Amino acid sequence: MRREQRPTTAPGPLETATVLPDTAPRVAGTAPGAPQAEAAPHPVESAPRPAKAVPRPVRSMPGGPRADAVAGVTAVAHPNIALVKYWGKRDERLILPWTDSLSMTLDVFPTTTRVRLDATAGRDEVTLDGVPATGEAARRVGAFLELVRERARLPWRAVVDSRNTVPTGAGLASSASGFAALAVAAAAAYGLDLDAGGLSRLARRGSGSASRSVFGGFAVWHAGSPGATGAAADAGSYAEPVPAAGGLDPALVVAVVDAGPKTVSSREAMRRTVDTSPLYRPWAASSRADLAAMRAALGRGDLEAVGEIAERNALGMHATMLAARPAVRYLSPATVTVLDRVLQLRREGVAAYATMDAGPNVKVLCRRADARRVAAAVGEAVPAARVLVAGPGPGARLLDGTGR
């Protein structure tokens, strides 16, 4: 498997954004009838840790697909939660962000995707959780497959079967795991010779956060240089693993306080914030400092510092939305109740720190040993909330014929 040379272009300062027409479709839905999350706290089990948190090397046929591509190639990937947030695109076609972001891949709710090539088919066939994909979901996967075909110079259509185990409304977006798994499986099926960085760039074209799910544990997604265009811009934006000290043993308690649809989509909220919020540029600048501090905290195994940085970065992101014209407000009364309970836990001596994405649900970073106590406290504060517990998980990888 050929190794790509890592781009040397460093992320540059934020420049005035020209928001491009949006061509990135929305996230496909989660699985109907997916496994239900626990309504009460449960023990945190050890997260599976592969020997290497990068996709397994595969052999390609020279100038063509894998020998087993007609039979099908299967990959699995897990969702991730950003601790230093991605919010705002400078290029919506290439899915290039304004700022770097850093996340933790989880050990729960994987997406498993199988790609089979069909030389005689006239169109792609995409099934999501046993149901034929339609509308934006079908368009999104189709556009991604077309990108893979262009790079492989192979016109064969694909049969895609993707199974997502994220419970409906769990507050864990499936786009990251979905497109990471699709990138690994499709690249292998079509015979693309990509290293982990190349797979990360490819996954980014389906979903920005998918670039991070290619890797296990902690990963940083580089925004690249704002001045770069075309192929140089594409090459400069990729994810890579971030080392963390061995003593760091985190868990993430997910509090789903509202599983309903958002009144403002993440895509629209992101555009509106970048275009109109007077707080966006200051937050983007502070986010760069947060990223440097986060990497240092992970390196020395300082969970308290990791949590403090994650919490202030997320609250700052939501402040930019509240300052948008008109404002975007995702935080609900239940969200605030959970935030207050997290603050009380810290007063009681528990290292617990909140982070939120574009929605009302709260994720609480804590030590694995404290996860049961944190989950119980959150459940007591908001009895109607669904509470999930996760730990660091593995990167995207190919499965062999036995499913391993």
Side-chain angles (χ1 to χ4, degrees):
M1 183 167 66
R2 184 177 71 252
R3 303 298 299 176
E4 294 184 353
Q5 184 176 0
R6 183 178 300 163
T8 57
T9 304
L14 183 67
E15 298 178 356
T16 302
T18 301
V19 179
L20 303 181
D22 189 1
T23 59
R26 293 198 63 190
V27 179
T30 52
Q36 293 300 306
E38 297 192 28
H42 55 81
V44 183
E45 300 178 357
S46 298
R49 295 180 184 273
K52 292 183 179 179
V54 296
R56 183 188 308 158
V58 295
R59 294 189 179 277
S60 306
M61 295 175 61
R66 269 175 57 124
D68 57 354
V70 175
V73 179
T74 303
V76 63
H78 290 72
N80 69 75
I81 294 296
L83 303 179
V84 176
K85 300 298 185 184
Y86 150 52
W87 191 247
K89 300 183 185 80
R90 72 176 195 271
D91 186 322
E92 296 199 10
R93 183 180 68 85
L94 293 177
I95 311 187
L96 301 175
W98 276 115
T99 63
D100 297 349
S101 58
L102 188 149
S103 65
M104 185 176 85
T105 299
L106 306 183
D107 61 355
V108 295
F109 307 134
T111 297
T112 303
T113 299
R114 186 172 184 82
V115 175
R116 179 173 62 83
L117 302 190
D118 188 340
T120 63
R123 61 181 179 83
D124 295 315
E125 180 181 321
V126 181
T127 302
L128 303 177
D129 301 316
V131 179
T134 59
E136 282 295 295
R139 186 184 77 83
R140 186 174 194 179
V141 175
F144 186 84
L145 292 171
E146 194 59 39
L147 175 65
V148 175
R149 279 190 285 268
E150 289 174 3
R151 294 187 178 185
R153 298 181 180 179
L154 185 68
W156 293 4
R157 296 293 175 169
V159 178
V160 177
D161 180 20
S162 186
R163 303 281 173 163
N164 179 33
T165 60
V166 177
T168 301
L172 300 172
S174 62
S175 62
S177 58
F179 275 99
L182 180 60
V184 172
Y190 279 94
L192 293 180
D193 189 13
L194 299 176
D195 67 2
L199 287 169
S200 176
R201 294 183 186 91
L202 179 62
R204 189 200 75 230
R205 296 294 299 272
S207 167
S209 57
S211 66
R212 301 185 305 245
S213 277
V214 169
F215 301 96
F218 298 95
V220 60
W221 172 20
H222 299 288
S225 173
T229 59
D234 181 59
S237 185
Y238 60 97
E240 63 180 345
V242 174
L248 194 71
D249 192 22
L252 202 69
V253 176
V254 181
V256 183
V257 300
D258 186 349
K262 302 174 187 177
T263 56
V264 180
S265 71
S266 297
R267 185 194 304 172
E268 169 57 25
M270 200 177 286
R271 287 177 182 155
R272 191 186 303 176
T273 302
V274 172
D275 288 349
T276 70
S277 175
L279 299 185
Y280 182 74
R281 289 172 64 88
W283 174 81
S286 69
S287 193
R288 294 190 183 90
D290 286 343
L291 184 80
M294 178 68 78
R295 297 188 70 154
L298 288 171
R300 65 178 183 268
D302 187 344
L303 186 132
E304 286 84 357
V306 169
E308 289 173 2
I309 297 162
E311 187 170 280
R312 75 190 185 208
N313 186 266
L315 291 173
M317 182 186 77
H318 280 269
T320 69
M321 299 182 219
L322 290 171
R325 316 292 169 81
V328 178
R329 186 176 70 85
Y330 287 124
L331 307 187
S332 69
T335 305
V336 176
T337 298
V338 174
L339 294 177
D340 287 344
R341 189 65 185 94
V342 170
L343 182 60
Q344 181 61 36
L345 281 168
R346 288 209 293 273
R347 291 173 181 153
E348 296 167 3
V350 179
Y353 303 88
T355 184
M356 296 90 61
D357 295 316
N361 302 316
V362 184
K363 292 84 177 177
V364 185
L365 183 73
C366 63
R367 289 187 173 84
R368 190 182 295 266
D370 293 328
R372 286 179 61 91
R373 178 176 176 180
V374 171
V378 169
E380 290 169 3
V382 183
R386 175 185 294 175
V387 180
L388 314 168
V389 181
R397 66 194 187 278
L398 287 174
L399 299 179
D400 60 23
T402 66
R404 294 179 294 179

